[in-house]
Amino acid sequence: MSGMPDKDRSQSLLKLAECMKTRRTVKQFLQEPVSRKLVLEAIDVARWAPNHHLTEPWHFYLLGEEAQAKSVELIRQIVTERKGAEVGDFKAKDAATRPGWLVVTCSRSSDSLTEQEDYASVACAIQNFTLY
């Protein structure tokens, strides 16, 4: 943005601010697949998140149908163990409606400061992804 005229830069910053202010988690998904190209572009933007010592501690996994189905069953199992079969079935059914799954992880560190820094970096990466 540094090469942009001030007026264009201001407009871009206002658009970004509006995205940040109006972003909400609503769990209302379009039942249309998102193109792999768009997901990869968003991951590329996510990778620009701040991170200590340029460690880029995040890992992105775009799940296929088989992994999604296994994840739904894992959700059912875990929730059933903790909250009973009715809630487990409800959560699994809800999870199965998601049109695509992207999982973001990071390795746990034995050093508590590094673990906190990694967690913060991954949260920033997810925010970048979400705003793309």
Side-chain angles (χ1 to χ4, degrees):
M1 265 205 273
S2 60
M4 298 172 74
D6 285 344
K7 182 179 178 185
D8 292 342
R9 185 179 11 221
S10 292
Q11 287 297 99
S12 293
L13 291 172
L14 287 172
K15 287 179 184 178
L16 177 60
E18 185 66 18
C19 284
M20 291 174 162
K21 291 176 182 178
T22 60
R23 188 213 65 79
R24 299 289 179 268
T25 301
V26 294
K27 295 186 179 183
Q28 294 176 347
F29 302 97
L30 299 175
Q31 292 303 311
E32 303 169 11
V34 176
S35 76
R36 183 176 183 84
K37 180 180 182 286
L38 182 61
V39 172
L40 294 177
E41 288 171 0
I43 290 171
D44 186 54
V45 170
R47 293 178 33 235
W48 286 91
N51 58 96
H52 60 285
H53 309 295
L54 301 175
T55 57
E56 298 186 356
W58 43 74
H59 306 282
F60 293 89
Y61 301 94
L62 188 55
L63 302 187
E65 289 181 18
E66 184 178 337
Q68 289 178 33
K70 288 179 180 180
S71 296
V72 167
E73 288 311 310
L74 182 59
I75 289 167
R76 180 188 318 278
Q77 178 186 347
I78 291 170
V79 174
T80 296
E81 288 173 4
R82 294 181 180 178
K83 299 188 176 186
E86 185 177 343
V87 178
D89 289 342
F90 173 81
K91 290 290 189 178
K93 182 179 177 185
D94 182 53
T97 65
R98 306 290 185 261
W101 290 43
L102 178 71
V103 176
V104 185
T105 67
C106 71
S107 300
R108 295 195 71 173
S109 174
S110 59
D111 178 70
S112 65
L113 178 60
T114 299
E115 187 169 332
Q116 290 174 6
E117 290 172 340
D118 287 349
Y119 179 86
S121 294
V122 172
C124 290
I126 292 168
Q127 178 76 353
N128 284 5
F129 181 93
T130 303
L131 292 173
Y132 183 74

